Amino acid sequence: MSRSNDSDLQLFVDRLTARSVLDAEERQAILALRTHRLDLKARHDFVHENEESSYCCLIVAGLVGRFGQLNSGVRQITAFHIPGDMADLHSVVRPIGIGGLHALTDATILRVPHDAIRAMAARYPAIAEALWRDCMLDAAILMQWVVNVGRRDARTRLAHIFCEMAIRYGENRDVLTEYAFPVTQEQLGEAAALTGVHVNRSLKMLRESGLVTTSRGIVQIHDWQRLVKVGEFDPAYLIADTHPERQRRRFGAD
Amino acid sequence: MSRSNDSDLQLFVDRLTARSVLDAEERQAILALRTHRLDLKARHDFVHENEESSYCCLIVAGLVGRFGQLNSGVRQITAFHIPGDMADLHSVVRPIGIGGLHALTDATILRVPHDAIRAMAARYPAIAEALWRDCMLDAAILMQWVVNVGRRDARTRLAHIFCEMAIRYGENRDVLTEYAFPVTQEQLGEAAALTGVHVNRSLKMLRESGLVTTSRGIVQIHDWQRLVKVGEFDPAYLIADTHPERQRRRFGAD
DNA sequence: CGTAGACTTGACCTGCGTCAACGTGTGTGG
DNA sequence: CCACACACGTTGACGCAGGTCAAGTCTACG
């Protein structure tokens, strides 16, 4: 088990503290976790559905998809995970997987053992709370995904995904109107529940109406306001709390 | 604020202890929570999307749907909640709603204040863990919902929903081959992302192939094995843990 | 410069949506 | 106890968004 690069776990601390209040000791406890750094080739599954694991995967670099699968082998991507995401944090309390994880690009992950996280969560209730909250942000995204896939047409679905990623790549603070999103149209289809062909046609419509262009894995948003409108996008579900100063640390706060 | 009927909170204790190990003191702490009992008429929203709340809702009786909504007002039901479910437990750590809650039938709920739950979770790490785990079971169902709505055809989707509810109404132990599921075909459509008309046609197919009949809110499964096959149903995602005795209580267990 | 994977486009097909009519069961008031 | 209403279920005719198949074209890379 290799020593982790400090800056790798710092990614996770940054993610948590953006959503929860942690004091110096708690942050230190996270940075002290044992980890194992791993480089993955694109197009490899590294967590399998319904397989028990004993560690979580922090995405350090690259793009990862969580997916479910039909008997036929057809896949549905249920979440995109970007650097800073602990892609299967849920497995700490429920070790059999919620779907598999697939490296959409070359990726680097940090494996963090469940037992170390559990020990930490038992000792620091504020960390347990922060982890739980992080999982709930993930669940909120998942709920939007159901609505997106279930009820919106192809153009709207894709616009919604581009909006979501613009906020998430902007660390939930800024809107990134240009970002690297290295998925193929086929993979976008697996996320949006469309075929690659239809993704292509829908992207063309978005391009021709001057909203977004996608080329060589770069998304360029030309008209954020209209894209938000077309995608019926409301960023509320991505926000941890409407009153951060008051509520980010809740256990025992009142 | 009325005194709760003891047996109401016992529902929640039973739910948690089916998935997590809690000792007598912890169970007692849950039973001692302040609550407020409330009767709801069918077809009323009682939690609104993106509205902050200060309590969670335990379903005591009736059937409740969690839903997201498009600008057009079209709804997508993202979860069914049955008695014993804490429908918006997530709001403890993230008080702005993940979607609204709608009473599909007359229902009775128990409101439990967030601050009481938070105080309890801070004091008893094992309870925090149990609550977090419960939320993750919910998230697992949600992920399946994405796959269901995104990738399966109408007949398969409905079969999958009937399988899921058969297990959940059977308390995740037995398969109930006959159960009350008082939704209209229109509402089933809101869950399965289909129109009422197409639900009707698909139910007809399921009926004519001798798998399920639905009538006046009663689901009768005539051939569980074949229904599982048609619905591509794998109950793994409903199970808290493959090794309950070893893993249900994890914080500090090792 | 060749090859393999991704993107693009056209022609055609189909599952589900839409619209509209009609059947059926249940509760309510006269 | 009837009648009437109203919500739900059922069925048919038809349209369309998106799927399927197939034939290129573009681009990165060895």
Side-chain angles (χ1 to χ4, degrees):
Chain A
M1 190 164 283
S2 63
R3 283 260 283 310
S4 78
N5 188 326
D6 265 2
S7 63
D8 289 346
L9 270 173
Q10 187 62 46
L11 257 182
F12 188 49
V13 170
D14 291 345
R15 166 61 54 88
L16 290 179
T17 53
R19 300 171 168 183
S20 304
V21 174
L22 296 176
D23 66 26
E25 185 185 346
E26 289 154 356
R27 291 197 301 272
Q28 194 45 54
I30 296 170
L31 290 172
L33 285 167
R34 307 194 312 277
T35 63
H36 178 57
R37 204 165 194 273
L38 208 57
D39 289 312
L40 304 166
K41 295 308 265 175
R43 281 143 204 288
H44 275 264
D45 296 349
F46 59 100
V47 172
H48 303 277
E49 198 169 3
N50 296 340
E51 197 172 288
E52 192 172 325
S53 64
S54 58
Y55 46 79
C56 296
C57 302
L58 174 68
I59 313 302
V60 172
L63 184 65
V64 165
R66 196 196 306 159
F67 65 91
Q69 214 163 4
L70 302 190
N71 295 340
S72 62
V74 172
R75 288 184 170 197
Q76 171 68 47
I77 293 180
T78 57
F80 287 118
H81 287 295
I82 65 176
D85 287 357
M86 190 72 100
D88 54 355
L89 186 51
H90 48 77
S91 63
V92 171
V93 291
R94 190 171 170 274
I96 56 173
I98 303 185
L101 292 176
H102 176 81
L104 294 161
T105 64
D106 286 352
T108 303
I109 62 166
L110 218 60
R111 286 182 169 174
V112 190
H114 284 164
D115 54 8
I117 298 180
R118 268 178 261 136
M120 184 176 73
R123 168 130 184 237
Y124 300 102
I127 294 183
E129 180 194 358
L131 299 178
W132 179 7
R133 176 170 300 122
D134 227 58
C135 282
M136 291 302 89
L137 269 272
D138 211 71
I141 294 175
L142 204 53
M143 203 199 97
Q144 277 299 319
W145 213 281
V146 175
V147 176
N148 209 27
V149 158
R151 288 297 179 196
R152 299 202 243 254
D153 66 18
R155 190 168 122 271
T156 311
R157 259 182 242 186
L158 292 172
H160 197 275
I161 289 176
F162 290 136
C163 289
E164 178 181 317
M165 298 316 290
I167 301 271
R168 288 175 60 198
Y169 275 120
E171 319 255 276
N172 287 34
R173 280 182 275 100
D174 315 300
V175 175
L176 276 197
T177 53
E178 180 168 340
Y179 56 88
F181 188 45
V183 286
T184 65
Q185 295 179 351
E186 192 67 41
Q187 291 167 334
L188 250 187
E190 288 185 345
L194 298 166
T195 57
V197 173
H198 203 68
V199 167
N200 184 289
R201 289 196 244 267
S202 306
L203 287 178
K204 187 182 178 189
M205 292 177 65
L206 289 172
R207 192 186 328 125
E208 286 175 352
S209 45
L211 296 173
V212 220
T213 53
T214 55
S215 174
R216 259 150 298 162
I218 308 289
V219 174
Q220 291 181 62
I221 299 175
H222 299 113
D223 190 335
W224 172 252
Q225 294 302 334
R226 275 176 57 226
L227 188 66
V228 162
K229 214 161 171 182
V230 167
E232 301 208 355
F233 180 73
D234 175 355
Y237 73 98
L238 292 172
I239 291 158
D241 208 307
T242 41
H243 301 281
E245 30 339 302
R246 191 184 72 203
Q247 295 171 331
R248 272 172 182 167
R249 185 180 185 119
R250 301 184 64 105
F251 282 8
D254 30 25
Chain B
M1 189 164 283
S2 62
R3 284 258 285 309
S4 76
N5 189 327
D6 266 1
S7 62
D8 289 346
L9 270 173
Q10 187 62 48
L11 257 181
F12 188 49
V13 171
D14 292 345
R15 167 61 53 88
L16 290 180
T17 53
R19 301 170 168 183
S20 304
V21 173
L22 297 176
D23 66 26
E25 186 184 347
E26 289 155 354
R27 291 198 301 271
Q28 194 46 52
I30 297 171
L31 290 172
L33 286 167
R34 305 193 315 276
T35 63
H36 179 58
R37 205 165 194 273
L38 208 58
D39 290 312
L40 304 165
K41 295 306 262 178
R43 279 143 206 286
H44 275 262
D45 296 349
F46 59 99
V47 172
H48 303 277
E49 198 169 4
N50 295 339
E51 199 172 287
E52 192 173 326
S53 64
S54 58
Y55 46 79
C56 296
C57 303
L58 174 69
I59 313 302
V60 172
L63 184 66
V64 165
R66 196 197 306 159
F67 64 92
Q69 215 164 2
L70 301 190
N71 295 340
S72 63
V74 172
R75 288 184 171 196
Q76 171 68 48
I77 293 180
T78 57
F80 287 119
H81 287 295
I82 65 176
D85 287 357
M86 190 73 100
D88 54 355
L89 185 52
H90 47 78
S91 63
V92 170
V93 291
R94 189 171 171 274
I96 56 173
I98 304 185
L101 293 176
H102 176 83
L104 295 161
T105 63
D106 286 352
T108 303
I109 63 166
L110 218 59
R111 286 182 169 173
V112 189
H114 284 164
D115 54 8
I117 297 180
R118 268 179 260 137
M120 184 176 73
R123 169 132 183 235
Y124 300 102
I127 294 183
E129 181 194 356
L131 299 178
W132 181 7
R133 176 170 302 121
D134 226 58
C135 282
M136 291 302 88
L137 269 272
D138 211 70
I141 294 175
L142 204 52
M143 203 201 97
Q144 276 300 317
W145 214 281
V146 176
V147 176
N148 208 28
V149 157
R151 288 296 179 197
R152 299 201 243 256
D153 67 17
R155 189 167 122 271
T156 311
R157 260 182 242 187
L158 292 172
H160 197 274
I161 289 175
F162 291 136
C163 288
E164 177 180 317
M165 298 315 290
I167 301 272
R168 289 174 60 198
Y169 275 120
E171 320 253 275
N172 288 33
R173 280 182 275 102
D174 315 300
V175 175
L176 275 197
T177 54
E178 179 166 340
Y179 55 90
F181 188 45
V183 286
T184 64
Q185 295 180 351
E186 192 67 40
Q187 291 167 334
L188 250 186
E190 288 185 345
L194 298 167
T195 57
V197 173
H198 203 70
V199 167
N200 184 290
R201 289 194 244 267
S202 306
L203 288 179
K204 188 183 176 188
M205 292 176 64
L206 289 172
R207 193 186 327 126
E208 287 175 352
S209 44
L211 296 173
V212 219
T213 53
T214 55
S215 173
R216 256 151 300 162
I218 307 288
V219 174
Q220 291 181 61
I221 299 176
H222 299 115
D223 190 334
W224 172 252
Q225 294 302 335
R226 274 177 57 225
L227 188 65
V228 162
K229 212 161 173 182
V230 167
E232 300 207 356
F233 181 74
D234 174 356
Y237 71 100
L238 293 172
I239 291 159
D241 207 307
T242 41
H243 301 282
E245 38 329 311
R246 191 184 71 204
Q247 296 170 331
R248 274 173 180 166
R249 184 180 186 121
R250 300 183 65 104
F251 282 8
D254 30 24

